Amino acid sequence: MEQTRVGRSAWQIVLVGLLVCWPAARMCADQGDPPNRVARISYLRGTVSLEPAGENQWSQASLNYPMTTNDRLYTDQGARVELDAGSSAVRLSETTDLTVADLTGTFMQLGLAQGTIRVSVYELPPGNSIEVDTPNGALTLMQPGYYRVDTYPNDNATLLSVYSGSVQLSGGGLSQTVSGGQAVKLTGSGPIQVGYVSTPAPDSFDLWCAERDRLFTAPEPYVSRDMDGYEDLNANGTWTVSAQYGPVWYPNSVPVGWVPYTYGQWDWVEPWGWTWVSEEPWGFAPFHYGRWAYIGTSWGWVPGPIVVEPYYAPALVAFVGGP
């Protein structure tokens, strides 16, 4: 996968409004356009491998990489990874094999071949749905809530724990609802056998997920919680309100003379093409939504008006000059 590091000395940066329509972002999408939604890699620990859609080679996953339909992740022993999908988050424990089977503005379908995931659904607007496919049937998450799924391929079994919310079980002649506070074990596939069990005691993975959840539930007054990366803004920058631009976010702890699109690389990500992947931990929302503006003596990020469904763009920049 080709990577290019771009610095201010090599290029003159010109910020443009050609890749998404703003503020009327929702009106910008035409039929046949790339998806308006991704699930970015928002946390990494240990060895996490990525197999992008259409490829048959594994590579090391990187922070802020945008996951989309048919991308696949595998976590090694002791590893963890988190996918930020705006109003929901998917977290993988160690030795877990997960495919993003489908991801659109209203639907997220996950394929769990083995291992353990937790899905936190903070909001689920009408017409939206989340599905987890396991070797023992499909699990449709019906409400905002907290869910854990463990698969055991060698035993042909799946354990579903519903901490809050509700799940519709389907497949192999099965149609059944599991409510908050319940746990079930699924075995077989045709037919599927369902047995109610005690909810397992929390382990270190559950405690880590609860800690991460607190970041996602913190209030953010200036952007939609459907915007991937919003949870990193308050801890890594400062908001001001400009008479010309409205709310403006300035990153903290950047080098003197810092400019956007300096620290990171350009990756070719289907179906969008060249996509900016920032090395800065906060560097997702400010590089894929809104606009950067040079205000006074500093670069600030202008998110624009809050929209119900923010539209992801691979980058909001053009380069002129240079060799």
Side-chain angles (χ1 to χ4, degrees):
M1 184 178 294
E2 182 177 354
Q3 298 180 347
T4 305
R5 180 184 295 273
V6 180
R8 181 177 52 169
S9 61
W11 302 91
Q12 176 185 358
I13 297 178
V14 180
L15 302 180
V16 295
L18 299 177
L19 295 181
V20 298
C21 302
W22 173 62
R26 186 179 179 88
M27 299 174 63
C28 160
D30 294 323
Q31 188 174 7
D33 281 352
N36 65 319
R37 182 186 181 196
V38 296
R40 67 132 180 174
I41 297 178
S42 49
Y43 179 96
L44 283 171
R45 190 184 80 183
T47 301
V48 179
S49 300
L50 166 69
E51 186 182 61
E55 298 187 15
N56 56 8
Q57 270 187 300
W58 292 95
S59 59
Q60 181 69 28
S62 58
L63 192 67
N64 287 323
Y65 188 87
M67 299 282 293
T68 187
T69 298
N70 291 326
D71 286 349
R72 183 181 176 191
L73 286 172
Y74 181 80
T75 56
D76 210 338
Q77 287 282 350
R80 287 177 184 168
V81 64
E82 174 185 81
L83 299 182
D84 168 15
S87 57
S88 61
V90 182
R91 301 181 179 100
L92 286 67
S93 187
E94 61 184 359
T95 61
T96 295
D97 186 346
L98 182 78
T99 299
V100 180
D102 197 5
L103 185 60
T104 69
T106 59
F107 181 54
M108 180 165 64
Q109 182 183 25
L110 306 170
L112 180 61
Q114 73 171 53
T116 300
I117 65 170
R118 277 192 55 148
V119 183
S120 297
V121 183
Y122 309 114
E123 293 181 0
L124 193 62
N128 284 244
S129 60
I130 299 174
E131 179 179 299
V132 180
D133 294 335
T134 76
N136 307 103
L139 319 176
T140 302
L141 314 186
M142 305 295 291
Q143 298 173 354
Y146 300 94
Y147 309 88
R148 174 168 169 157
V149 185
D150 299 82
T151 61
Y152 307 98
N154 293 338
D155 298 329
N156 194 17
T158 296
L159 176 63
L160 166 67
S161 302
V162 182
Y163 302 107
S164 63
S166 66
V167 174
Q168 180 69 35
L169 309 179
S170 59
L174 175 67
S175 180
Q176 185 172 331
T177 300
V178 182
S179 301
Q182 297 179 325
V184 295
K185 185 175 183 180
L186 312 178
T187 56
S189 56
I192 301 170
Q193 304 296 320
V194 181
Y196 284 84
V197 298
S198 298
T199 302
D203 59 14
S204 61
F205 178 61
D206 294 310
L207 297 177
W208 172 72
C209 290
E211 180 183 348
R212 296 293 300 175
D213 280 329
R214 286 190 282 272
L215 297 177
F216 285 77
T217 54
E220 176 47 71
Y222 298 120
V223 297
S224 167
R225 71 180 307 159
D226 284 327
M227 179 183 291
D228 293 357
Y230 81 90
E231 71 279 2
D232 292 329
L233 298 175
N234 280 337
N236 294 283
T238 304
W239 287 100
T240 64
V241 178
S242 162
Q244 180 179 3
Y245 295 100
V248 181
W249 181 83
Y250 294 93
N252 294 336
S253 303
V254 293
V256 175
W258 178 89
V259 296
Y261 297 95
T262 301
Y263 299 99
Q265 67 272 345
W266 292 97
D267 288 351
W268 185 268
V269 180
E270 293 288 356
W272 296 276
W274 289 112
T275 299
W276 180 252
V277 181
S278 174
E279 292 177 359
E280 288 125 338
W282 48 263
F284 196 87
F287 291 106
H288 299 291
Y289 308 92
R291 294 290 185 275
W292 286 97
Y294 193 70
I295 305 171
T297 59
S298 303
W299 285 96
W301 177 62
V302 184
I306 295 177
V307 295
V308 175
E309 188 178 344
Y311 267 71
Y312 165 86
L316 299 172
V317 64
F319 298 103
V320 298

